[in-house]
Amino acid sequence: MGFLGIMYLRGQGTARDTVRALELLRNAGDKRDVRGMKALAEVYRGDTVSRNNYLVPYWYRLAAEGGDAEAMRELGSMYLQGKEVDRNDRLAREWLEEAMRMGSVDAMVDIAWMHEKGLGTPASNKRAFRCYRTAAEAGSARGLFALGQAYENGVGVRADTAEAAGLYRKAADAGSADAMNNLGVLFLRGRGVPADTPQAITLFRQAAATGSTIAAGNLAKLGFH
């Protein structure tokens, strides 16, 4: 039921049918199927018709308690940002650290950000940098992007825009819209790479097509769409 519900939800091998997907996923969730519970949270968060801010953390929490690392990370991130739940740095750290123990590399990026900003833990740029680097070395697109930002802004390491550009390129190749945008900014300004406005525009367009509203704004400032 969980797998079939996800297929209806995504239109894989069949026409997309959110109503049928929800029916199957609710049945799977009621039987405590972890993939079904996590998919339900995603539906209630992202589907305009079914959006329900109460049910998002409810189903993520059940999936997390069922042992799903990415559900743990999502729940921790929600507590960290105060999205759909009241902000709570202690609970954020608990869930993110549990997600890391269960194998979520992206949770390490969130933990690093907590170290950088001193949220629920004493601020430490060096600890933040080490976590960003570990996540990047594990192949996380978010980790590569965050490590690029650390090098660009000198967080826990000497600022090096050329190194930042290389990391943004790797993150962009892995699908990070934020990295595409930031790399475009470096090309636009000639920082760490030769100034190249056409290349910057190409990257902004790729980022915007991947969902970056910031990149879309950068295009508009340059008179492009």
Side-chain angles (χ1 to χ4, degrees):
M1 285 186 284
F3 278 122
L4 187 58
I6 291 169
M7 293 184 75
Y8 272 111
L9 182 64
R10 298 175 180 171
Q12 294 176 324
T14 182
R16 188 172 187 273
D17 187 337
T18 304
V19 174
R20 179 63 173 147
L22 273 174
E23 178 186 347
L24 287 160
L25 293 173
R26 284 189 189 116
N27 285 337
D30 288 342
K31 298 181 189 307
R32 294 301 183 260
D33 175 72
V34 170
R35 71 182 60 81
M37 291 188 287
K38 186 170 69 172
L40 269 175
E42 293 168 0
V43 173
Y44 287 126
R45 170 181 281 175
D47 185 77
T48 54
V49 176
S50 307
R51 184 172 295 142
N52 186 312
N53 288 342
Y54 169 76
L55 291 176
V56 173
Y58 173 80
W59 288 110
Y60 270 135
R61 184 174 290 107
L62 287 178
E65 290 170 352
D68 187 273
E70 285 309 306
M72 295 172 188
R73 188 192 71 78
E74 287 287 353
L75 191 58
S77 180
M78 288 166 63
Y79 278 117
L80 183 58
Q81 299 175 50
K83 289 175 60 177
E84 291 120 1
V85 292
D86 292 333
R87 182 174 165 176
N88 187 315
D89 291 343
R90 180 186 61 81
L91 287 176
R93 181 160 185 170
E94 287 178 4
W95 280 113
L96 290 169
E97 287 182 341
E98 185 63 21
M100 283 172 54
R101 283 191 287 271
M102 293 296 291
S104 172
V105 177
D106 281 347
M108 191 174 296
V109 181
D110 296 310
I111 287 289
W113 193 75
M114 294 186 76
H115 283 307
E116 181 181 342
K117 302 301 180 183
L119 300 173
T121 183
S124 172
N125 284 345
K126 290 192 178 297
R127 283 200 299 269
F129 177 79
R130 286 197 295 269
C131 288
Y132 288 141
R133 183 175 59 194
T134 300
E137 289 172 349
S140 163
R142 290 183 72 224
L144 288 163
F145 170 69
L147 188 61
Q149 284 189 306
Y151 272 105
E152 183 177 2
N153 300 316
V155 176
V157 67
R158 185 186 297 273
D160 185 335
T161 50
E163 183 68 20
L167 288 161
Y168 286 150
R169 174 68 71 185
K170 291 179 181 178
D173 289 343
S176 170
D178 290 331
M180 296 171 198
N181 176 73
N182 282 26
L183 184 58
V185 171
L186 293 184
F187 272 110
L188 187 65
R189 297 175 179 172
R191 298 183 63 235
V193 291
D196 188 337
T197 300
Q199 179 64 20
I201 292 168
T202 297
L203 285 161
F204 290 149
R205 281 178 171 155
Q206 290 173 349
T210 312
S212 171
T213 55
I214 296 174
N218 286 334
L219 278 173
K221 289 176 185 176
L222 293 169
F224 293 91
H225 300 286

